[in-house]
Each structure stands twice: as structure tokens, then as C-alpha cells.
Amino acid sequence: MMYLQLLLLLVQFHLLIVDACPPLCVCNTEKTGSADLRLVQCSDPRISTVAINIPADTVKLRLEKTPVSRVPRAAFYNLSQLLFLWLTYNSIASIHPSSFVNLKALRELRLDGNLLSTFPWEGLKDMPRLQTLGLHNNRLSNLPSHAALFLHNITYLDLSSNRMIVLSPELLDLWFPLPEQRPGRVRRRILGLHDNPWLCDCQIALVMSLSMSLGSPVVLMDQLLTCRKSMDQSVFPLNHADLTRCMRPSIQPAATRIISPLGSNVILRCDATGYPTPTVTWIKISPYSDCCRRNMIDSSEQLPQNLASFMQGSPQVGVRWSIISLNGLSYRDAVILCSALCLPEIE
């Protein structure tokens, strides 16, 4: 009998902790039909870390205007019902790639007004239902090629007021798929690309022109994009730039999937076309797949990373081929990307 009473007290104590509002935060419930939705707001300037005892039934969490500087691993693991996560106008400079583990229901993530110079794009795999991603007013300098692998479900992406310089062609393929690449109805997207120091290259010019075409799958929040001819020159409206000779870059790999034993040597090749003649880079990223996670978790290798050991040739204007050799194949070589970029000379 005493054992049952003790067990009951422990259960009641656990429920009390789970249901309690974190210190320095405000918790409310909002009536929607027959359901009570829990909302938690933490905006006290004394908050310095992400709270770990937020009620598990929270559907909207707002951590705003605090000195919080980092988001640690599995920071919201207990919040599987969370739909909206606003981490706006804090001092967040780093986010662990596994910060968003178990946020399977999340629809909206906002990180506007922070100090992010990088973002863990592969972490989007942990939020399969995410549609809105706000990164306005940070310090992001590029949107890398591998980001296109994780942005398929994002229909609202705000990258405005950052330090963006170039876009990768993989993003053009994602946002403006060619007719033969369209699986069915094209997903309509809203993009915020304004107020960035873009270089006047073919990628940003194509985004501008394609978004203005009839029936475009992309709507720009602000069509007044500016660019500059070089890093040390002033900006001017993009539509005044002479980019009429741009041809969309296209990549054709010799094989998209290769299976080879661990420790073996593999040679990869891809061909790129475009005008001006594209430059080609190879990028290694982490697949974060279950089979490989255990073998990679202790690795000190920083991913993604550019691979430097490759050969390139250009038999004619507008064509580039590239070959890379991987010696001693390992789990860390599971995903290698070939990326092409057109950088025109503007007079």
C-alpha cells in the first residue's frame, strides 16, 4: 500500500513538473474548438539559455529579445506537438545540426534578427512538415548547394537583409524546375532575397527574370534586387545590369548513385554547360542516415566542405567537365555533390 502511494506521488510530481511554466516565461492557453492550445512566451532579458522544462503539450513557443546566443543539441526534443517556433531578435550565433530533432509537427520556424553566419540546412530533415523558414536580418553570406536537398517543403523562405553574395544553380532547379523535371503540380513559393549585396551573376539574374515570367512558381517579396559588379563596387538595380547572355547552368553526372565496398577507390565525373562557361566544385555533406550516424558521430571532420582534389577541362566555350577521385571510401563519403556556377564579366 505504501509502495502504491509513493508511486502515485511520483507520478503526480512528474505531471506537475511537465505542466509547470518555466521561470521567467509566460504560459497561456488558447481555446480552438474543443481543444486548449498551450502558448509559451519567454522574453525576459535575464534569460540566457533555452529552457529545458517547457510543457510537452506546447504548440507555440516564442523566445524573443533575450541574450540567448546558442541553440544546443536536441533543445526541443520534448516538444513533439510544437507547430510554431519563434526564436527572433535574440543573440543566436550558433545552432547545432541536431537542435531540431523530434520536431516532426513543426510548421513554422523563425530566426529573424539574430547573429547567424551559418545555418545547419541538413537539420531541416528533422522537421519534415516545415513550410515557413524566416532568416531575415542575420549574417548569412551564402545559400550553399546542399541546402537544395532540404528545402523541398519550404514554401516561404525569407533571406532578406543578410550578406548573401551568390546563389547555387541547384536552387534554380528547385525553385524553377524545367518542364521535364516537374513531377506534377509545381509548388508555389515566396522568397525574400532583397537587401543583400549580390554579385551581378547569372544565377541572381535568372531568379529575377524567371520570377517575373507568366505563371512563375516563385513570388519575390520585393522585386527591387540590387547587385554589384565586384566586391569593392557600389550596388545598383539588377534590372539595369547587362546579363542578356546568361544561359542557365546544367549538370549531367556520369552516375547519380554508386555502390562500392568500403576502402575501395572511386572516380566520379560530371559535365556542366552554361554561359559563361561554368566553374565546377565538389562538395561533401553529411547524409545523417541511420546506417551511418553511428560511424560518423565521433568524426571531427567539419561538414559540409569543398573538396579540392579534382581535375577540370573545358573543350569549348560553355562546356566544363570535372573528375574527382575518392581513395579509401568511407561512410563520410556517402554524399558528394557536383555544383556549377556561371560568373559573367559585366562591362
Side-chain angles (χ1 to χ4, degrees):
M1 186 65 178
M2 184 178 296
Y3 174 78
L4 291 176
Q5 290 177 337
L6 180 60
L7 182 60
L8 181 60
L9 287 174
L10 289 174
V11 170
Q12 291 175 339
F13 179 71
H14 175 73
L15 291 176
L16 182 62
I17 293 178
V18 171
D19 193 59
C21 193
L24 306 179
C25 297
V26 176
C27 298
N28 296 305
T29 56
E30 184 178 282
K31 198 77 172 179
T32 302
S34 60
D36 291 331
L37 304 181
R38 185 185 295 273
L39 315 177
V40 178
Q41 181 166 355
C42 305
S43 55
D44 193 294
R46 291 173 292 176
I47 297 174
S48 59
T49 59
V50 178
I52 60 174
N53 57 340
I54 297 170
D57 61 347
T58 300
V59 297
K60 185 172 184 178
L61 171 61
R62 299 178 61 172
L63 176 64
E64 300 174 310
K65 301 178 181 178
T66 74
V68 170
S69 61
R70 58 183 292 270
V71 183
R73 180 199 299 262
F76 313 101
Y77 186 84
N78 194 44
L79 304 179
S80 60
Q81 300 180 45
L82 199 64
L83 299 178
F84 305 94
L85 177 57
W86 291 14
L87 306 174
T88 55
Y89 297 95
N90 300 290
S91 299
I92 298 173
S94 67
I95 299 176
H96 193 278
S98 299
S99 292
F100 308 115
V101 170
N102 205 36
L103 293 183
K104 299 177 181 179
L106 197 70
R107 300 291 199 278
E108 183 174 311
L109 173 61
R110 293 191 178 273
L111 286 151
D112 308 302
N114 282 287
L115 305 175
L116 293 170
S117 58
T118 60
F119 181 79
W121 302 101
E122 58 271 26
L124 297 179
K125 292 176 65 176
D126 296 319
M127 300 173 284
R129 298 188 179 182
L130 190 71
Q131 295 179 336
T132 296
L133 178 58
L135 291 164
H136 164 77
N137 192 18
N138 275 277
R139 300 177 178 180
L140 300 172
S141 60
N142 73 326
L143 186 56
S145 301
H146 72 274
L149 297 174
F150 312 107
L151 288 170
H152 287 278
N153 294 329
I154 304 298
T155 56
Y156 179 100
L157 177 62
D158 189 358
L159 297 167
S160 61
S161 300
N162 274 278
R163 301 175 181 179
M164 296 283 179
I165 300 174
V166 296
L167 287 173
S168 71
E170 285 79 8
L171 293 162
L172 287 179
D173 294 336
L174 172 65
W175 295 336
F176 305 96
L178 296 170
E180 61 271 20
Q181 296 174 336
R182 297 176 184 174
R185 185 177 179 181
V186 178
R187 187 185 295 260
R188 198 167 181 84
R189 305 173 193 272
I190 299 174
L191 300 179
L193 302 177
H194 52 284
D195 295 334
N196 280 288
W198 299 110
L199 279 179
C200 297
D201 66 4
C202 284
Q203 274 63 239
I204 193 63
L206 285 168
V207 168
M208 179 77 171
S209 61
L210 291 173
S211 68
M212 297 178 69
S213 62
L214 184 64
S216 170
V218 167
V219 176
L220 294 181
M221 296 179 194
D222 188 340
Q223 292 187 342
L224 182 60
L225 300 184
T226 58
C227 67
R228 50 186 174 174
K229 297 178 182 180
S230 63
M231 297 296 292
D232 57 351
Q233 291 187 344
S234 59
V235 300
F236 56 92
L238 181 61
N239 58 344
H240 292 169
D242 182 14
L243 299 169
T244 57
R245 300 186 66 189
C246 289
M247 186 178 78
R248 183 175 180 173
S250 176
I251 291 179
Q252 183 61 49
T256 57
R257 184 180 181 88
I258 295 176
I259 299 176
S260 185
L262 291 175
S264 62
N265 300 332
V266 172
I267 294 178
L268 305 176
R269 172 178 173 136
C270 79
D271 298 330
T273 58
Y275 189 86
T277 303
T279 59
V280 178
T281 57
W282 293 88
I283 302 170
K284 180 192 293 186
I285 71 171
S286 169
Y288 285 98
S289 59
D290 293 338
C291 66
C292 306
R293 185 188 296 267
R294 178 174 53 83
N295 295 277
M296 297 174 60
I297 196 167
D298 296 327
S299 173
S300 59
E301 185 177 35
Q302 295 297 313
L303 300 176
Q305 67 173 226
N306 288 352
L307 302 179
S309 57
F310 54 86
M311 297 185 299
Q312 290 193 16
S314 184
Q316 64 188 66
V317 174
V319 177
R320 179 87 68 184
W321 58 262
S322 182
I323 296 176
I324 189 169
S325 177
L326 303 176
N327 299 320
L329 204 64
S330 69
Y331 284 111
R332 292 186 296 273
D333 299 318
V335 179
I336 304 291
L337 300 180
C338 178
S339 174
L341 185 68
C342 290
L343 295 172
E345 295 181 0
I346 304 171
E347 300 180 358

